[in-house]
Amino acid sequence: MQLNAKIPAGPLEDKWDQHRFDMKLVNPANKRKYTVLVVGSGLAGASAAASLAELGYNVKCFCFQDSPRRAHSIAAQGGINAAKNYQNDGDSVRRLFYDTIKGGDYRAREANVYRLAQVSVNIIDQCVAQGVPFAREYGGVMANRSFGGAQVSRTFYARGQTGQQLLLGAYSALERQIGLKKVAMYSRCEMLDIVLVDGKARGIITRDLINGKIERHAGDAVVLATGGYGNVFYLSTNAKGCNVTASYRAYKRGAAFANPCFTQIHPTCIPVAGDHQSKLTLMSESLRNDGRIWVPKKAGDTRAAKDIPESERDYYLERKYPSFGNLSPRDISSRAAKEVCDEGRGVGPGGLGVYLDFADSIKRLGKNMIAERYGNLFEMYERITGENPYEVPMRIYPAVHYTMGGLWVDYNLMSNIEGLHVLGEANFSDHGANRLGASALMQGLADGYFILPYTIGNYIAGAKLNPVTTDHPAFAETEREATNQINQLLQINGKRSVDDFHRELGKVMWDYCGMARNDAGLRTALERIPQIREEFWRDVRVPGSGTYFNQELEKAGRLADFLEFAELMCHDALMRTESCGGHFRTESQTEDGEAKRDDENFTFVAAWEYKGVGTKPTMHKEVLEFENVHLSTRSYK
Amino acid sequence: MKLKLHIWRQDNAKTAGKMVSYDANHVSPDMSFLEMLDVLNQELITKGDDPVAFDHDCREGICGACSMVINGIPHGPQRATTTCQLHMRSFKDGDEVYIEPWRAEPFPVIKDLAVDRAALDRIIAAGGFISVGTGAPPDGNAIPIAKEISDLAMDAAACIGCGACVAACPNGSAMLFTAAKVSHLNLLPQGEPEKDQRVINMVAQMDAEGFGNCTNYAECQAACPKEISIQFIAKMNRDLIRAKLREGNNAGSGKTGGA
Ligand SMILES: Cc1cc2nc3c(=O)[nH]c(=O)nc-3n(C[C@H](O)[C@H](O)[C@H](O)COP(=O)(O)OP(=O)(O)OC[C@H]3O[C@@H](n4cnc5c(N)ncnc54)[C@H](O)[C@@H]3O)c2cc1C
Ligand code: SF4
Ligand code: FES
C-alpha cells in the first residue's frame, strides 16, 4: 500500500494558495459530463453536493434518513470556530491552527490544519450569505463565545442549535440544486458497498430502505461523507442511525483506515438512567462557560447538593487546571470526571455523575441572562431528568461523542483508492488525537464548500476515466455480495435481537477501549469481539424479509460491520502504547496521572490495511513532520 | 408501571391498517417514549412477531424524524416536546395510550408509524433558499442585522420539519411549516432580493402537494414542538399578497421575475 500525503511544498502559509494555482481545472463545458456520487447529506456531504452541482457536475446524493435535513449534523449545539478575530482578542489564522494542532496532541498534519484555519473565515461569510441566523449583538454584528481548549472568543453560534442552522443552510443550497435538477437526491437509501473498476472508485451499491431494492450507481468519483462511528459503543451521543458501514466497506476494498482508536469522550452528557437507555444526550460544552463543575470532597457523600457547604466541595477542574479551569479540553475534563467517580465521589444514581452548577452565574448574571444563553438546553435537561437546573445543579458524565479516526486521506481529501474522496467526520484528517469543541462543523463545511470542489476537479481532469456503466461485471459481483449478506442475515432466525448483540459489543468496547485503555484489557476485547461476532452470525434474529421497510434488517447490516470494525479499533489502541489526546493508555501517564505522549516512537498516523475478517490488519505509518510548531507537552494548568 | 398500548399497524401505503393492542408491563418513568417502544419491540422480536416501525434518529428533539400521534395529539401531551423527548413520567400506571402515524394525504404511510414526508422537502426545493453559490460572499459582518430581526428569524428557523403541524391541522395544511421557512429568509436582508418569488413559489408547491388550506384553527401552533408562532402565517400571507400585487404590476409594465 502506498501512502503519499501529497502535501504541497513551500511555506505553510502559501501551500493552499499555490496548490490551488497548480491544480488542473475541468473545462466548464465538460463538467456536466462527469457524475459524482456523494454519500451523505450532513454538513460535509450537503455542502459538497451543492457546491459540485453549482460548478456544473452531475451529482447524485444519498442519505439513509427520510430527508437530507435530518443528517446527524443537525444535532450539533454549541458552535463553529472561525479565525475572524471579530472580538479583537488576539485571534488569527495562525492561532486557530496552533490551538487545533495542540488540542489534537500533535497527531494531525500541519498542512491540513493550517488550511482548515485559513478557510474557516470564508465559511462564516458563506453561511451568513445563505441566511444562517447567527447570534447577534445589539449593534447588529455577530456574537462570539469561547469554547474548551481556547483562550479567545472565536465560536459563532445560533442559540443552542448551531448544527441545525448550518445544516439547514447547506440543505437549502442542496435543495436548490435538487429543484434545478442538478442533484438527484436519494433519501432513505443506504450505501452497502463501493464498486472499484481498474482500481478506481467508480460506483456504489445501495439499498432502497422502503422497498428493499438493491441498486447500482456508476460515477466518475465517489465521495463518502458518512459521518463517524461512535455508535460502535452502542451508547453515544450520536444519532441512532450513525454507522461505520460506508467507511468500513471502503476499508475492506482497500482504503486505509487511519487512527481508528482515536475516540472523543465528551465530558458533559446526561448520565445513564437505566438498562433501557438507548442513547446519551449531550449537554453543550458551552455550558462550561458559566457552569462550575464539582463533586463532594468526601467519598460516599449522599447529601443533596444544596446541603453540601462550599468548604466541602471540590471544584476539581479549577483546582487542577487553574488557567483553563472549567474550560479545560474535553479529554482532560472527561478523565478528571472518571477519576473522581472512581474515587467514590460521584453523584446521582450509581455514583456515575458530577455536578455542573449554575448557582454562581445565576447570582452574578441573573436568571434571565442564563435563560437567554442556555434556555433550550436547560429545558431539554429537565425533560429528560425531571430536574430543574435553575434550582439544582445538573448532573453530567462523560460519553462517547466523536471519532477522530477515519479513512485515511491525502491533502486532496482522496483516500489511497483513486477517486474515493472522504469528507467530514468520516475522514481522519484534521483533529489528531483530540478534537476541539466547535471544530467539527468547521471541518465538515471546509471540506465540502472550500476544499473538495477544487481537489476533485484536479482528480477528474488528471485521471484517465474510461466510460463505465452499471453493466460492468464489477457491479454485478459487488451487488451479489451485498445481496448474499442480506439473505444470510435473514436466514439465521436465531434467538437474540440485533440490539441485544449491539449492547454486548458496546459494553466490551466501553470497558476495554473507552476512556482508559491498557494492554490486558485490549487483549480481552480482542478475544471477546470475535466470540460475539460468531454468536451474532449464528443466533441473531432478523424478522421479516428484505423487500419492505425493515428497520431490524438495517440495524443488523450496520452491526455486522461494527462487529468487525471493533477489532480494528482495539488493534490500533493496543499498538499505540503512548497516551495522546482522547487515547489514554494507563501504562503511559505521568506521576500526577496526566497523559504521557511518546513523540519519539509515535509521531505518526497509523493507517491500517484490511487483511481479512478476524485477521490482524497490516499497519502503515505516515510519519508526521512538524516544521512550524514545537511539540510541547500539552498543559492546561 | 403498566400501560395498555393501542398501536396503528399497517404494512404499506397500499394495504389497510388497523389498531392492535399490546401490554407494556415494565415501563419506568425515566424511559423516553421511544425507549418504551424499543422495549415493546424487543419483546415482539423475541416472540417472533413483527416489530413496530417508526421514524427516529437523533432522539434529542432536533432532527424532526420522530412522528407519532399520541392519544390524539401529535408528539403527545407535553407542550413543546417531540415524541423522542417525551418521557414516561408524563403517564401513569394503567393508562391506555393510542399511538398513530401522522395522517394527511400528502404523507402516505410507509409502514406502521412511519410516513413519507418528502413533500416538505419539495416545498423547500421550490424556494426555501437564498440563491447564493459557494464562493466569496461579503464579510459576514458587512451587513449588520439588528438583534431583534436576527432573533425573530431564528425563532422561525427553529422549525425541525417534523410535520406535526400538518398532522394537527383539521385541513391538513402545511402553512406553519412553510411560513416558518418563508419568514426565516424573508426577514433577513440577505433574503430580501428573492422575497416575492420565494413566497409565491413555496405556496404554489405547497398547494400542488395537496396540503389543505389554513382556516385559522391554530392547532398547528399548539402541536408544534418548537413553538413556531402562527404570527408567521400572518406574515407569510402579507408577503404573499404584496408579492402577488407586485407581480401583477410588473406583468403590467412588462417586467419579469422577482424584485
Ligand atoms: C450531540 C452532538 C453535538 C455536537 N456539537 C458540535 C458542535 O457544537 N460543534 C462542532 O463543531 N461539532 C459538534 N459535533 C460534531 C459534529 O456534529 C459532527 O462531527 C459533524 O456534524 C459530522 O458531520 P458529517 O457531515 O461528517 O456527518 P453526518 O452529519 O453524521 O452525516 C452523515 C451522513 O451520511 C449519511 N450516511 C451514513 N452512512 C450512510 C450509508 N451507508 N448510506 C447512505 N448514507 C449514509 C447519513 O444519512 C448522513 O446524511 C456534535 C456532535 C454531536 C453528536
Ligand atoms: S412548524 Fe413546528 S410542527 Fe410544523 S414542521 Fe416545523 S417544527 Fe414541526
Ligand atoms: S428523533 Fe430526532 S427529533 Fe425526535
Side-chain angles (χ1 to χ4, degrees):
Chain A
M1 179 180 284
Q2 284 297 321
L3 297 180
N4 178 357
K6 304 212 180 108
I7 299 168
L12 190 61
E13 299 75 18
D14 301 340
K15 285 180 195 290
W16 178 233
D17 251 6
Q18 185 61 38
H19 191 56
R20 274 197 295 178
F21 179 72
D22 293 339
M23 279 188 289
K24 297 189 201 70
L25 299 175
V26 180
N27 178 322
N30 282 342
K31 287 197 181 115
R32 66 188 159 77
K33 296 185 193 146
Y34 294 104
T35 298
V36 183
L37 307 174
V38 180
V39 188
S41 68
L43 286 179
S47 58
S51 305
L52 292 173
E54 287 161 13
L55 286 172
Y57 296 104
N58 253 320
V59 177
K60 287 185 175 185
C61 182
F62 304 82
C63 72
F64 64 74
Q65 290 91 351
D66 70 328
S67 161
R69 70 179 287 152
R70 304 201 208 286
H72 168 59
S73 295
I74 200 94
Q77 303 170 349
I80 178 167
N81 286 331
K84 280 285 199 187
N85 195 29
Y86 281 160
Q87 306 305 323
N88 198 27
D89 56 0
D91 201 9
S92 62
V93 165
R94 196 158 189 100
R95 186 175 297 280
L96 175 53
F97 156 73
Y98 178 76
D99 285 350
T100 310
I101 283 276
K102 175 185 171 200
D105 225 356
Y106 306 98
R107 292 295 173 264
R109 257 186 225 142
E110 277 191 341
N112 285 55
V113 175
Y114 194 85
R115 173 178 64 186
L116 174 66
Q118 282 176 309
V119 302
S120 70
V121 297
N122 305 89
I123 296 172
I124 301 303
D125 300 341
Q126 182 66 34
C127 295
V128 169
Q130 289 169 344
V132 170
F134 284 116
R136 301 255 163 186
E137 306 284 2
Y138 282 101
V141 296
M142 281 182 277
N144 291 118
R145 58 185 170 205
S146 53
F147 240 57
Q151 285 171 317
V152 292
S153 245
R154 62 159 76 98
T155 304
F156 294 75
Y157 61 99
R159 298 216 179 122
Q161 294 120 276
T162 315
Q164 180 199 29
Q165 293 311 314
L166 296 174
L167 184 59
L168 292 182
Y171 158 79
S172 68
L174 175 63
E175 284 297 335
R176 176 167 160 248
Q177 296 304 315
I178 295 171
L180 295 169
K181 306 243 178 321
K182 302 220 312 242
V183 175
M185 184 71 218
Y186 296 79
S187 299
R188 293 203 201 259
C189 185
E190 179 149 343
M191 167 186 152
L192 300 178
D193 213 335
I194 172 167
V195 182
L196 307 189
V197 175
D198 301 331
K200 293 191 172 79
R202 294 306 297 269
I204 60 172
I205 302 294
T206 59
R207 178 168 182 272
D208 180 321
L209 299 181
I210 297 181
N211 58 25
K213 267 211 202 91
I214 308 291
E215 284 161 337
R216 307 171 182 185
H217 302 269
D220 298 285
V222 176
V223 178
L224 298 187
T226 46
Y229 49 83
N231 279 350
V232 67
F233 293 89
Y234 186 72
L235 287 182
S236 83
T237 62
N238 289 10
K240 290 293 284 177
C242 293
N243 69 88
V244 77
T245 291
S247 313
Y248 192 73
R249 291 302 162 138
Y251 164 73
K252 285 180 94 167
R253 301 256 167 227
F257 211 111
N259 302 333
C261 82
F262 286 171
T263 321
Q264 179 164 82
I265 315 277
H266 197 289
T268 55
C269 303
I270 301 181
V272 172
D275 292 339
H276 55 264
Q277 194 87 31
S278 62
K279 75 154 286 179
L280 295 169
T281 300
L282 175 86
M283 287 282 101
S284 169
E285 177 164 44
S286 61
L287 291 167
R288 294 203 274 149
N289 275 306
D290 290 306
R292 296 181 69 196
I293 295 176
W294 64 275
V295 289
K297 280 190 178 156
K298 251 197 341 259
D301 192 335
T302 53
R303 287 175 291 176
K306 64 171 173 24
D307 299 330
I308 302 178
E310 269 311 301
S311 61
E312 293 176 42
R313 298 175 175 194
D314 179 12
Y315 295 89
Y316 58 89
L317 284 179
E318 297 172 20
R319 173 172 58 80
K320 288 167 79 170
Y321 309 100
S323 64
F324 280 71
N326 294 301
L327 288 174
S328 298
R330 293 178 174 175
D331 51 340
I332 290 181
S333 310
S334 294
R335 267 199 307 278
K338 177 176 170 2
E339 245 165 57
V340 295
C341 293
D342 288 350
E343 291 162 15
R345 299 196 285 145
V347 300
L352 289 178
V354 301
Y355 287 128
L356 175 61
D357 199 336
F358 292 87
D360 286 352
S361 300
I362 291 175
K363 238 179 268 157
R364 185 162 43 91
L365 302 166
K367 192 175 159 186
N368 284 347
M369 183 62 120
I370 294 297
E372 159 102 346
R373 283 186 193 166
Y374 312 109
N376 64 331
L377 295 172
F378 276 38
E379 277 171 33
M380 172 142 107
Y381 181 86
E382 184 168 2
R383 274 197 291 270
I384 293 172
T385 61
E387 291 173 359
N388 178 351
Y390 292 103
E391 269 141 39
V392 294
M394 285 186 177
R395 285 176 296 110
I396 53 166
Y397 197 66
V400 174
H401 177 57
Y402 182 86
T403 50
M404 282 76 68
L407 290 175
W408 182 90
V409 287
D410 63 16
Y411 187 73
N412 296 318
L413 303 182
M414 187 160 88
S415 77
N416 56 307
I417 295 181
E418 272 189 70
L420 178 68
H421 296 75
V422 192
L423 316 183
E425 193 172 340
N427 73 24
F428 87 108
S429 71
D430 296 348
H431 308 293
N434 173 53
R435 173 177 70 79
L436 290 183
S439 287
L441 302 182
M442 168 174 72
Q443 183 225 332
L445 290 179
D447 289 0
Y449 283 134
F450 296 110
I451 300 170
L452 182 84
Y454 295 98
T455 60
I456 207 166
N458 184 46
Y459 167 72
I460 288 175
K464 292 199 178 52
L465 293 163
N466 300 321
V468 166
T469 69
T470 53
D471 295 331
H472 191 282
F475 279 89
E477 174 58 23
T478 314
E479 178 184 318
R480 196 180 52 76
E481 289 172 29
T483 313
N484 281 352
Q485 161 153 340
I486 290 176
N487 292 339
Q488 216 182 329
L489 285 169
L490 288 164
Q491 275 158 18
I492 301 168
N493 206 15
K495 286 190 288 298
R496 293 178 59 191
S497 71
V498 176
D499 281 3
D500 197 25
F501 281 106
H502 201 161
R503 279 177 202 276
E504 186 180 358
L505 173 70
K507 175 134 184 21
V508 167
M509 293 305 283
W510 179 245
D511 288 347
Y512 301 115
C513 197
M515 246 190 293
R517 302 152 173 191
N518 61 47
D519 189 275
L522 289 164
R523 285 181 202 279
T524 309
L526 283 169
E527 259 169 49
R528 291 286 300 121
I529 297 162
Q531 291 165 357
I532 304 173
R533 189 168 63 227
E534 189 270 332
E535 203 185 327
F536 171 85
W537 282 105
R538 197 163 33 80
D539 201 23
V540 72
R541 180 192 294 255
V542 184
S545 80
T547 55
Y548 65 92
F549 189 60
N550 186 342
Q551 294 173 308
E552 287 298 309
L553 180 60
E554 292 168 29
K555 287 196 286 187
R558 294 172 194 157
L559 180 59
D561 291 324
F562 276 136
L563 282 165
E564 293 180 17
F565 174 73
E567 238 179 308
L568 173 63
M569 278 179 79
C570 293
H571 280 302
D572 188 44
L574 187 61
M575 174 282 301
R576 198 172 279 275
T577 53
E578 67 163 350
S579 295
C580 61
H583 172 64
F584 189 70
R585 281 289 298 258
T586 53
E587 299 97 331
S588 183
Q589 50 181 312
T590 62
E591 269 163 27
D592 48 359
E594 300 295 334
K596 200 160 102 196
R597 266 194 349 250
D598 176 356
D599 291 336
E600 202 171 319
N601 296 302
F602 287 99
T603 310
F604 64 81
V605 174
W608 296 88
E609 181 183 356
Y610 179 69
K611 288 289 169 187
V613 182
T615 310
K616 190 175 173 213
T618 307
M619 186 182 72
H620 301 267
K621 287 185 188 175
E622 182 199 331
V623 174
L624 293 166
E625 316 273 356
F626 290 93
E627 291 165 357
N628 297 277
V629 295
H630 170 68
L631 273 65
S632 60
T633 302
R634 231 167 36 127
S635 169
Y636 291 93
K637 292 207 163 173
Chain B
M1 58 185 160
K2 290 186 168 52
L3 300 175
K4 187 88 183 162
L5 308 176
H6 306 280
I7 304 178
W8 183 260
R9 304 303 309 262
Q10 182 174 348
D11 285 343
N12 55 53
K14 294 192 192 92
T15 57
K18 61 171 191 296
M19 296 300 280
V20 178
S21 303
Y22 301 92
D23 292 310
N25 291 330
H26 310 283
V27 179
S28 136
D30 287 331
M31 284 178 178
S32 71
F33 197 83
L34 298 186
E35 284 168 347
M36 185 271 297
L37 288 177
D38 288 343
V39 172
L40 172 73
N41 275 345
Q42 292 303 304
E43 282 175 28
L44 293 177
I45 293 166
T46 330
K47 275 199 292 199
D49 287 345
D50 182 30
V52 181
F54 58 87
D55 271 320
H56 66 101
D57 199 20
C58 73
R59 298 201 174 195
E60 292 194 359
I62 191 74
C63 75
C66 61
S67 41
M68 299 177 191
V69 176
I70 301 166
N71 289 340
I73 308 169
H75 290 307
Q78 196 176 346
R79 183 195 60 86
T81 302
T82 54
T83 304
C84 60
Q85 292 276 284
L86 179 65
H87 277 65
M88 297 315 290
R89 61 181 76 88
S90 295
F91 299 85
K92 56 181 196 311
D93 192 42
D95 274 358
E96 303 220 11
V97 186
Y98 292 80
I99 311 170
E100 295 164 84
W102 281 180
R103 293 191 194 279
E105 281 288 312
F107 291 166
V109 170
I110 290 173
K111 183 173 186 302
D112 302 332
L113 305 171
V115 301
D116 181 351
R117 287 169 286 186
L120 299 182
D121 288 324
R122 289 190 291 267
I123 295 176
I124 301 296
F129 47 75
I130 290 172
S131 298
V132 47
T134 306
D139 186 272
N141 266 347
I143 313 171
I145 303 175
K147 187 172 184 311
E148 306 83 72
I149 298 289
S150 167
D151 283 353
L152 193 59
M154 181 64 216
D155 288 344
C159 164
I160 59 175
C162 63
C165 45
V166 179
C169 176
N171 304 331
S173 165
M175 283 291 266
L176 194 61
F177 165 82
T178 311
K181 183 49 66 180
V182 167
S183 301
H184 158 209
L185 297 175
N186 281 13
L187 277 162
L188 294 171
Q190 306 92 300
E192 184 70 30
E194 292 169 297
K195 203 173 173 175
D196 292 353
Q197 225 37 58
R198 176 176 303 119
V199 65
I200 290 175
N201 293 347
M202 288 178 75
V203 169
Q205 187 64 34
M206 185 181 83
D207 293 341
E209 296 288 348
F211 290 103
N213 286 324
C214 173
T215 48
N216 296 319
Y217 281 100
E219 294 288 342
C220 53
Q221 174 178 269
C224 175
K226 298 295 145 182
E227 301 188 295
I228 305 292
S229 160
I230 50 170
Q231 285 176 13
F232 291 121
I233 297 184
K235 176 174 165 29
M236 176 166 83
N237 283 332
R238 286 196 301 274
D239 284 4
L240 186 63
I241 292 168
R242 201 167 32 217
K244 288 254 161 97
L245 277 173
R246 277 201 281 248
E247 195 183 40
N249 292 345
N250 287 349
S253 62
K255 283 192 219 144
T256 54

